[in-house]
Amino acid sequence: MARAHNQKADKKATSENDQNDSCRLDKWLWAARFFKTRSLAADAVDGGKVRVDGDRAKNAREMKPGMRVSIKNKDMQIEVEVLALSNVRRGAPEAALLYRETEESLRVRQQAQESGADNFAERDRGVGRPTKRQMRDIQRFTGRD
């Protein structure tokens, strides 16, 4: 026998879960859409790619508004200030309300974009695979010797 679906209870549980006063770091990173999955967020925190107020953090770190979070991965390096907490992943416009990027971080990203530093390893589409010499140069430049 199937149970009746209680939509009011689901909405209440969702709104309570979204408005909690506490939130785990990995869950907040996922809800703010810095990472596609929560496990990717947890791996980044474990790998030391995420810092909270300048210190290395753990996944279960309680987030509070006003904290500064630095996130570094292969695509970006960003520093944000936490404005709100959420345990639920929502659309991008709502996720953007959870944080504010610092002025310094914006300036650094803008400079990197203007100088072309962020696309140093890009190749034109259709030019084929890199030669051995080009691969050696790429590895030497990126430090993957």
Side-chain angles (χ1 to χ4, degrees):
M1 184 174 223
R3 245 171 45 177
H5 189 68
N6 190 349
Q7 290 180 347
K8 283 186 180 181
D10 285 347
K11 285 183 181 180
K12 184 178 178 183
T14 302
S15 65
E16 286 176 1
N17 204 16
D18 194 26
Q19 302 299 327
N20 278 344
D21 292 337
S22 65
C23 181
R24 291 173 52 106
L25 174 60
D26 58 348
K27 228 176 199 186
W28 185 84
L29 290 168
W30 168 73
R33 294 184 162 261
F34 288 109
F35 296 95
K36 194 169 186 174
T37 65
R38 200 170 145 201
S39 62
L40 287 175
D43 290 344
V45 173
D46 288 339
K49 305 291 186 194
V50 178
R51 294 185 171 269
V52 177
D53 292 331
D55 298 326
R56 196 167 169 171
K58 293 187 177 180
N59 292 325
R61 171 93 182 244
E62 285 232 2
M63 299 300 295
K64 295 176 184 164
M67 290 182 153
R68 286 187 176 246
V69 179
S70 300
I71 305 160
K72 183 190 289 188
N73 67 20
K74 64 180 180 179
D75 297 333
M76 70 174 173
Q77 183 172 353
I78 188 171
E79 185 173 345
V80 297
E81 181 182 350
V82 177
L83 298 178
L85 304 177
S86 178
N87 288 319
V88 179
R89 187 174 172 105
R90 302 213 185 254
E94 291 180 47
L97 300 175
L98 298 177
Y99 62 91
R100 176 180 57 232
E101 188 173 2
T102 62
E103 295 295 325
E104 182 181 341
S105 177
L106 281 169
R107 188 173 12 86
V108 168
R109 285 194 318 122
Q110 182 68 26
Q111 287 174 349
Q113 186 178 14
E114 288 172 359
S115 68
D118 57 343
N119 56 0
F120 63 88
E122 288 186 5
R123 295 175 52 84
D124 292 331
R125 188 170 177 89
V127 296
R129 293 177 52 185
T131 63
K132 285 185 181 182
R133 181 177 182 181
Q134 291 170 335
M135 282 301 297
R136 284 194 302 268
D137 290 342
I138 291 169
Q139 289 172 349
R140 194 175 303 118
F141 184 76
T142 59
R144 297 182 188 172
D145 290 336

